[in-house]
Structures are given as C-alpha cells and as structure tokens.
Amino acid sequence: MRTAQIFRLSMAHPGDLSELDRLIAGGTVRAVEIVAIIGKTEGNGGVNDFTRGYFTQTLMAMLAKHLDEPAEQLIREIPCVLSGGTEGVMSPHYSVFCAGEGEPARGAGPSLAIGTAFSAPVAAEDVGRRAHIDSVANAVRAAIAAAEIEHLGDVHFVQVKCPCVTVARAAAAIAAGKTPLTSDPNKSMAFARAAGAFGVAVALGELAPSVFQEGSLLSDFSIQSPRASISSGVEVESNEVVVLGNSARWAGPLRIAHRPMADALDIGAVVDVLADLDIEAKPQVSAADAMKIATVLVKCEPDRRGKIRGYRHTMLDDTDINAQRHVRGAVAGLVAGVIGDGRIFVSGGAEHQGPDGGGLVAVIASREGSA
Amino acid sequence: MRTAQIFRLSMAHPGDLSELDRLIAGGTVRAVEIVAIIGKTEGNGGVNDFTRGYFTQTLMAMLAKHLDEPAEQLIREIPCVLSGGTEGVMSPHYSVFCAGEGEPARGAGPSLAIGTAFSAPVAAEDVGRRAHIDSVANAVRAAIAAAEIEHLGDVHFVQVKCPCVTVARAAAAIAAGKTPLTSDPNKSMAFARAAGAFGVAVALGELAPSVFQEGSLLSDFSIQSPRASISSGVEVESNEVVVLGNSARWAGPLRIAHRPMADALDIGAVVDVLADLDIEAKPQVSAADAMKIATVLVKCEPDRRGKIRGYRHTMLDDTDINAQRHVRGAVAGLVAGVIGDGRIFVSGGAEHQGPDGGGLVAVIASREGSA
Amino acid sequence: MRTAQIFRLSMAHPGDLSELDRLIAGGTVRAVEIVAIIGKTEGNGGVNDFTRGYFTQTLMAMLAKHLDEPAEQLIREIPCVLSGGTEGVMSPHYSVFCAGEGEPARGAGPSLAIGTAFSAPVAAEDVGRRAHIDSVANAVRAAIAAAEIEHLGDVHFVQVKCPCVTVARAAAAIAAGKTPLTSDPNKSMAFARAAGAFGVAVALGELAPSVFQEGSLLSDFSIQSPRASISSGVEVESNEVVVLGNSARWAGPLRIAHRPMADALDIGAVVDVLADLDIEAKPQVSAADAMKIATVLVKCEPDRRGKIRGYRHTMLDDTDINAQRHVRGAVAGLVAGVIGDGRIFVSGGAEHQGPDGGGLVAVIASREGSA
Amino acid sequence: MRTAQIFRLSMAHPGDLSELDRLIAGGTVRAVEIVAIIGKTEGNGGVNDFTRGYFTQTLMAMLAKHLDEPAEQLIREIPCVLSGGTEGVMSPHYSVFCAGEGEPARGAGPSLAIGTAFSAPVAAEDVGRRAHIDSVANAVRAAIAAAEIEHLGDVHFVQVKCPCVTVARAAAAIAAGKTPLTSDPNKSMAFARAAGAFGVAVALGELAPSVFQEGSLLSDFSIQSPRASISSGVEVESNEVVVLGNSARWAGPLRIAHRPMADALDIGAVVDVLADLDIEAKPQVSAADAMKIATVLVKCEPDRRGKIRGYRHTMLDDTDINAQRHVRGAVAGLVAGVIGDGRIFVSGGAEHQGPDGGGLVAVIASREGSA
C-alpha cells in the first residue's frame, strides 16, 4: 500500500539543504519518493523575500544531481512551498513529504495521503481574478484525485502557492495593453492568496462558483475555507498544490487533523487538534508525545478590524514592521508554546482561510512511537 | 488599612490619557492616590522610541491639572514605567496603581502592597557600572520599606526604569573627560538593564555585592533575579522603582504571584502562576476568571546562544527587526493565548532577570469577583 | 510694512522645544508673531509616527504659557506642519515662521509673504474625495488672501497638512453607515495627499474642477501642481494650510523660489532654484552663502513605475523599509550635498506634487548677509 | 598587452544572471577572462542578507557550465564581492571585470590593472584580530603582484570581502574552547571590516604593523586607508581581494581614480574624482560623458559622533532601520545625482576606510567614447 513519510529538517541558512542531502546519500530518504516540500525560510515573507528562491534553487540542483533529471524539470514536478519569515521563536526548517510503498501499519485505518498538482502559468493580469480561481480549483481537484482521497471531508489541508505581480511584471502587463488588478506587489500577494482560497473552497464543494463575484475577494470575508493554506510569492508562475488528507488507500502510522482558529488567541484550537490525534497538551505536549508530531501547519491573519476580543492591536498601523510579520510571530509564540518546539510552519496572509481574523491549524502525527 | 487598586486602561495613541482623565473626573480614581503607572506604548521599544516620553508628558500634564502641582514635580514622585513595543497581539494599555485606605476584604490575608522610590540621577559614565548597581539597590530598599513588606520573600516583582546613554549623551560625557561604558545606545540600554537586575538582586539579598565584578554584567548570566523587571530608556535620568509584593499590613482583594520562565516556550510558568492565584487555565482562562486578573507583567529575552530547545532561532541575526521586538511578540502571543487578553505588559531585555534565555511572569489578581 | 522672519532651530528629541523657548524668553522671537511651523521630526513618517503629535503638544503647551491662551485654541490658529522621518543625513529641526512689522530692506522688491488658513474638520468618509479637494482649495484661497499675494504666479509653495483615516477611524465611520475610500491607513494617507494636491492646483488656477473625476486621484498623474507640498497624518482633523510667496506688500530680506524636480536624480533643479536666488553651488554652496539660506523645502516620490532613468529601483518592493523612507533618504542625500547642511525639510508622498516620479524643491534665502 | 574590460549589468532579482549568460553565449564576454565581480544586491546588507549567497551560487553554477569546471572550485578563484542593500535610488547591478589580451589603445598611458587573491580561511576566533589583519595584508600584496602594479601609489581601490561570525559560528568556536572577539554578528562584521582596512593599509605601506594594537580596531579612527573598501558577510570563509589600479603594463581605454570623502555631504570629492578622469559634472555628468563611466565604487559611514557638520543625525539611534542602510541611501542619493545613474556600488561600514565619518569614492572611466 502507499505510505507517506515526513522528514522535518533544519537548515543553517536558506541555501543549506545538507541534512536532506545526507539522508538521501545515506539511503534513509529515496529521492524518487519526494513529492513535496513545505518549509519556513528566514526572509521577510514579502515581495522582496529571496530566501524562498534561494532554497528552491539549491533544493532542485541537489535533487537533479540525485535523480539525474534537469532542475528545470523537477521544479515543475515537486511543489516546494516556502513561507518566508521565522519571526520570534520559529526555527527555519522544511518538511519533506515522501510517498512510497510500505506494509500497512498495525491498527490499520485511514492514513495520511498526499497528492500534488501544478496549474498552467497565471498571467499577471489574471492574478486575483476568476481565471485565477478556476485555475486553482482545477489543480486542487487533480491533486485530490492523485491522493486517492475518496471523500472531500477527508481532505484536511490544501496548500497552494500562487504567483503574484511585482512592479516590473505589472508594468510589463500594462505595456502589453493588459490591466492587472494592481501594480502594488503587497496588494497583489493578498489578491493572489484570496483567489487561492476561493479556488480551494470551490474544489472542496464549500463554495459554488455562481454565488460570488470577483469583487468578493478581499471584501466578503464570510467566504472562507478552513482547510485552505495559501502562500504567494514572486518566484512562482503557476499555482502549485499540495493536498493532505486521510485515506483508506494509504497505510502508514501518520494521520492528519485540522481545526479552524477563531482568532489569534485561540489556544483552544491548538489543544483540540492535538486531541483529535490523541495527543494531550496540559499545558504543553510531553517530550514523548512531541516525538510523535511530524509537522505543524498554521495560517493566521492580523484582524482587519483593528481589534482582538475588543482591544486595539497595532499590527495594521505599523510602518516599521509588516503586519504579517507581526501576526506570524505572535501566533507562532502561542502554538510553539503548546507544542514545545519552534519548528512549526506559521504562515500569514490568511485572507478567506479560516475565520476572519483567525486562521487554521493542522497537525500530522504518528499513531504511536515517534514520527 | 492600606488598600491597593489597579485600573487597567486602554489608549487610542500614546498621548491619549482620556480614560484615566474620565475616571478621575468621575471620582472613580482619586488622583492623589495614584502611586505608579506601568504600561505598554506602541513605539519600537528602542532608543528612538518617543512614545514613552509622549505618554509621560501627557500623563503628568493631566495629573498636574487635577492635583494642582507642577508636572515637573510629579514626574519625580510618580514612577511612570513604560515599555515600548506592542508587537503582535499586544494591546496598548496602562495599569494605574493606586494606594488608599479601605476596609479589610473578607477572608483577610496578606494583600497586594506597593512601594516606590526614586534614586538620584545617574551620570552617563556611571550607566552600567557598580555605582549604578548601588543606586538601584538603595532605591529598591527604600521602596520595600515604603511598601511595608516585612519579609523579602513576599516581594514578587520589582520594576526599575533605568537611564541609558544616547550618542549625544555619550559624546557629552567624553567631551567632559569621562569614559562611558559605550557610546552605542542599544548596548547602553542592555548594560543599564543588567545593572538594574544586579541592584534588585542585591537589595533582595539574592546576591552579595562582594561576589561579582563589574565585568559580570552581561557576561555571567548565572547571576539573575527572578523578581527583577528592568526597562531602560532615554527619557529618564534617575532610577525609578516600583516594588510589588504581598503584605499583612495591606488589605484589599488583590494578590500577586510570580514564576520564573525557563525559556520563551515556557507555557507551564504561565499556567503555574495563575494556579498560585487559584485561577485555572485549561487551556485558556475562562471569561469569568479573566475578569479577576488585574494585570500581567512579563519579561523575556531572545536566547543569546541562538537556539531554543536545541533548534536555531533567527532573532539575533535579523538586521530588519530588532531582537527584542521579535521576542516580545512571540512571548506575548503565548501569554495572551493563555490569558485570553492582549492587554499584557511584555517587556524585552531580560538580561539577568530570570533564567538565561527566559524571564519571568507575574500576575496580580483578585481573590474573588472582578479585579 | 509686514516682514517675514524664519528661525531654523534644532531639537534633541521630538519633545524638545527648548531653543524656541529660549529665543522667546530672550526676546529674539515674539511669540505673538509666530504664524506657522514647518519641521522634520525623527519618526517613521507613517501612520504610527507619534513624534509629530508629541512635538505639537509640546509646542502648543509652551506657546500657551507665553501667550496666555489655551493650547487647544492655538492648535487651531498656528499650522504646525511636521513631516516624520529624518532618514540618512537629515537633521531633526523646525522652521519658525514669524510675521511682524519692520522697515523695508534695502534694494526693496517683493519679499517673502506668508498666509495661513484652517479648514473645517474632514470626515473620515470624505478623505480623498471631492469634498476633501474643495475643502483644501477654499483654505488655500483664504491663505493667499491672508498673505496679500496679488498674483497667483507669485505663490511658490503651498504646504497643506491633511487628515487621514486610521483603522479605528475607518471602522467607526463604517459602523456609522459611511463608506471610507479605504480602511488601510497608508493608502488613506496617499489619497489624502492626492486630494490636497488637487485642491492646491484648483486654488492656483492650474486645474479646473470640471476636468477631473474623483477617480483621477492616484491614477491620472499628468495632473499635478509643482507648488503643492502635502503631508498627511493621524494627528490632524482639519486641513492646515501655509502659503509662501513673494509680495510687494511685504518688506524684509527674504525671498522664495521653487523648481519642479523631474525625478529623484534631478540635481539640476536644486542648483537652479539656488541660482534663482543668486546663490551659486559649484558643486556645493559656500559656507558664506549657506548662511543666507533660511530654509529648504522638498517633496519627492519613489517612482511608481519601478524605474529611474531606465534602471530598476527596489523601493516599492521592499517589505522591510517603507518606500517613502527610502526616497526621502536618497533625495535628502542629494539636496543636503548641494546645500552642505542636513537641516532640510524633505517630505515623501509627492503624488501629484510636481512631475510624476519627481517632486519639487523650494528655497527661502536672504538677499544678503545671513538669514 | 593585458587589457581590462568592465561589463556593468542589471539583474531582475538576486538569482538573475541572465544578462551575463547572454553575453557569454553571444561571445561578447569570454568566461575564461572573468577575474572578479563587484555588485549590489537588494538585501538588507546585514548578517541575514542571503541575496549575496543566492547571487554567488547562481553565478558560479552558470560559470561552471560555461567553463566546465566545478562551481566549488570557481568560488575559490573568482572573487565575487557583493554588497547588500540598494536603498533609495540605487539599482541592483553587478560589474564583471575581465582581463584579456588586446591592442594598446590610442594615446597610450597607464591603464586599468586588476589583480586578485584569496587568503586561507579565517577561524571564527581570529576574526577582527591581528591574525586577520596579517591574512588580509598578505593577500593584498599577492593581488598587487598579480596586477603588475609597480608603484603602490598607483593602487586606487582595494576591495576585500572578509568573513565574520554568526551566532552559530561563535557558539561553535566557544564550544571548541576558543574565544571569539564577540558573538554579536553585527559587531563581528564591524571588526572584520576594521581588520580588512588595517590589512590594506599595512600592505599599501600606509601603516606600520608595529604602531598599532589589536585594540586600535574600531577605536583609533585616525588609522585609515583611503583606498580600502571592505565588506563582510556570513557567506565567505576566506578573505577575497580585488586590487584595482593603473599600470603601464596594461593597455585599454579604462583608467581609475579615487578620492577620500570627508563626510557624507562631500559632493566635492565626487566632482573631483570625475575631474581626475577628465569628466565634468556641472552639476550632473552629461549623457555623453555618462557613457564613459564604467563603474562607480563608494564607501561611506554614519558618523559615530552623532553629528554631521555640527548638526545631529539620527542614524545611530534608530531601532527600525540599520544605520548602514541609512547612510548608504543618503550617500547613494548624492553620488547618483552627480553621475545621473543609480547603478553605483555604495557600501556601508567604512570604518577605517577613508576619513572618520566619511569614506571614499572611486570611478573607472574610459578615456574616450563609451565604457
């Protein structure tokens, strides 16, 4: 049966893939079984965060060497989803998702299933528009099929990396007679994330294409998917999709669960998602249980309305520190405190991804022993 | 008997004292009973954070009006300890500490006691040196006496605001033939905080003056006081001290407890200090219990050794965001998640204040009903 | 005859008005003759820059003391236009504009004339809309009349400080059923500056109200006034206007000139405006001539199109440093290099103020001797 | 005769070497003749600036392909000196220095000569110490010999890239029983730059090894070399040296000149160095003359004493923006304004490199026609 494995590895800098290189060289990881990477690099997470591109270039060159396949080809086959910004207690790391064949684990039951897909490139003028949403939705459907997840309810986390415009890309599109939604890169990233979330919601059957307008993006925040995790960056041109869920077609010790986060203080969601996986946090996960945790994936958002539980926050009015950096640092502090580990994926820009002002948390853990 | 009260108030900006003004005008707060202010303003918390000075100027002008006493005098009588930086989920707020006379509360026992003191001005060349330590220690002793706390073990939190040098102050001292420890303002703030912590430890009998050298500051981190909370800023010239503890000489519903924090992930310390006050967090304090909490005071620090529980953090290598802003945001995310409220005082720069790489958390809460 | 004087003073921090206090106490400045202040404070120049409010509060309290008039009244009579951000070589300073009576200077001719005006408060939902433009235009006309400048061509610099929304103000307006143009404070500041520039252009007869739409703001950059200098900030609710020009009704040694700047590299504009005032820069103004210069006022802008003279700049794609901080630092470096003095007013956000991607430079200098 | 050529190329992002790739593919640049790269990438210029490593990795992989030699080898043969930070008007670009054989140019005379050298790796505990200085001096001597520059007076610019410690490197050294000068990466970078400048001064005969102490670094600022340009970064382990001067052994149209800059406002130095190369700036270089300019190299420094020409600057007290970013932006604004081009190399951290508080400017230009 198909079996998923996750290797959570540290890096000394964004171009340091030495841990994975060693695991491949030593035979622990089979390069051909790597299907996706999700990681946190220590950039600023904004338009001018080049740590993502640096990591990806290094990764693909290394895999090209092991697989004897051109890096240019690999980059279109293996989603490498990086979120920049390891604010506060977060530790730069990457989770390597592998899919191979293995014996069914004891106490069988649905196990972690992984599927991936790539869309065609998204034109600068389409970013954040309906064409973008459709492109994402189709790619998500393809990834679900690839993962052999039969029930949409068993999908727990859909990671999409969407392209955005830079000032230069927008100018080129305008010169070509096109009309990008915006020339402001930070705004474009927000629209791209919104389009990704809508696309996931459509693909998961949570949202009918007919009931929203293009104008709903970044405006009607009642539309959301608590299973969508969208990043956006200058270094991709296509939508890259990783679907994670549980499936009876997969064996192995890993399972995934998720919970929406109501706001940036929703520690209950973190404790609950761990309980879904039979892990107790009182208040922190024990050292033994911490070893069962394979990876932690979080999306969060500075509340647009300027308040959290009735009290003013200052994230959106700060000219010195980007609001996404603020909220990532805060929510990572909370989640890492419960987990007892800074190697968590906390990504900002959660527009339409979980409750407005909140987000979501997903955890993958082993049924027993260590992940 | 003497009775302590705390009013935790919000501000719309650093010059907004309107909530306190209204409470005084309405008779809820008696201006003459205000003995100290501890608050968080939305600056950057560094040398060029002028939100602290702005708040203080506004506060003193307002109190001067109510008390018919010059602001220049009040500023030398009422410690106004502000920590800049409301990163992440923190909400700008200030706690007004009042000391008056009242009836003993039911179920009497030791209650929150407050004492304050001011040292003489500290010369630029003394900042971070033994003369600075002695100056702090003497002021702390005076504040403990003023608080009528009989046992040093009943002191739970000693807030000191220390002066530091700016480039200009250091240059002036050098021009006058003096030798400041450093001309780098951020470094000076660190030495000032260290001197403050040593001074508290000496005053609390935790540290004998004979067993350390000036060179121990910022170098021997085994020396620390888990009850010292030190801020430093350009806007003060003297050490300003606020001592908080429990004393049988005081009545009233409030009590204080504190716990050292082992590191930035030490959620257990937060839960434990609440338990010391008979408040349960599972995982979050209930809405009813949250009303009992009068104020929350936290010190924290980016681990100097570059790692948290074995994994690399990036706070100290970041040229874009100051390390103290990083750690405040993370620890505030953790503590606010447990408390369920962003109105917490989280201050960075915890050198020698609690365990190395960690810090401390103190909570003041009411025995029953709301604070 | 009426005579204008300018005192350019330094500050040690944003709450330091001691130089002006001394000049008033010593009789050099008559407090009653102060008509306007234009200065640079060392904040970040963004929504959360409170150095402007701090300075203003301190100034008004000090003047209130000297004039025996409430600060709340003075703040509605004396425009205090502050631009936050002393990036790079800029030195925090403020120019005090005084209007008194004096003997005509030798070699008479039109001399510096000053006029000021305040509009009514601008509602949050009007910011950046036609009502805002009209409000500015009317205030500019009133200020020109007050300055007794007969020909619109003799107006050389119109400074307007416009209100903007914060997240909180926008939320309040929305709660009241209004529709602000945006809830994003940085965006609101940009719209407010655009409205101010349109208002100035209308008042100066450069732009007919009928030929533009509300949608022209921040979109049709062919519309611009090379004499408009607009700031925006959270600390004002009305439009505050200072008109500077030359008038035969005024005596005194000072004159003003201005030049549009074509782009951020337009050193020629700086040299030319000095030449208009008979001051030579080859390449730097001589020490003797530098003493004639009373004040220097500059507006600039990061080129929206992402390039300067064909080469890519990175100001707009930077998540770490706000684009306005970038461009202020660069243009101040250029202008201060020509002038030989860092006490220059360089303000970002020059949308519609001078050529697109450029801005303007105005200089006030004495005909002879020192300013 | 040996002939030097410079290709100044733009990049779309730090991993974009496509312009050079095209020039090599088209035969304009012979890969084997590339001897050094000096460029500006759009990072923050600090310890966590990974744009330099990203560019270098991309460059070396591309050259490895063209030269059929391993990238690991090339990186030890071709100095790639990158300065992060394109603040303000600077445009990301890189100058490719080529040395080949060519016919002597008309009107022969000494022409631009280039020499390079690499030292052995510098241990973490040696960074900023005498061993570091000696290592640099020896490498500079080797590079001068390689450049065949006979008189030390004909050396005009010595670029050295020095290693520094990160928190991790420092911790490793301490664990190994060594004592690094500091564990603070930003401080380490400063000491490394100082050591580089002392090494250059020693090699150029400007400074006798016997007349200074280790303690002179970052303390006796009367020791300086107006021809040293030192960068420091985490991505190198050896000192990499590029010597530029004029030599009768070289032919070709290019010549180099340099001038010390007295302070950050020293526009005269920029005009003078151009005049040394028979290029007039009044106030800006003409478009025709601008084409003669091959590259512009500048070092600068925020004045440690907190003032420029008597007036306070705020660069050193700013917790939001690193002081080096401030000064680079300002000086680049000045130099780019004179040159009329944002493709200039302006690097901060000029401790001991030119006058205290100033720095140096070097220009390479063609005798006639375009560079």
Side-chain angles (χ1 to χ4, degrees), chain A residues 9 62 76 161 168 237 239 325:
Chain A
L9 307 176
M62 189 263 279
R76 285 189 292 268
K161 183 93 180 195
E237 299 196 340
N239 301 298
R325 303 203 73 176

Side-chain angles (χ1 to χ4, degrees), chain A residues 48 167 184-186 318-320, chain C residues 44-46 84 87 90 186 190 193 264 300-306 308 313-332 346-351 357, chain D residues 86-89 321 325 329:
Chain A
N48 68 323
V167 171
D184 176 337
N186 277 302
D318 192 345
T319 302
D320 299 315
Chain C
N44 61 28
E87 294 81 13
M90 268 188 283
N186 277 300
R193 290 189 298 258
C300 56
E301 181 72 3
D303 197 294
R304 290 173 304 105
R305 293 151 297 191
I308 301 175
H313 69 78
T314 61
M315 297 186 265
L316 297 168
D317 278 351
D318 192 344
T319 302
D320 300 315
I321 299 182
N322 183 274
Q324 304 295 347
R325 302 203 74 175
H326 268 294
V327 77
R328 279 195 303 259
V331 172
V346 178
S347 172
E351 306 90 342
Chain D
T86 54
E87 294 81 12
V89 297
I321 298 181
R325 303 203 75 175

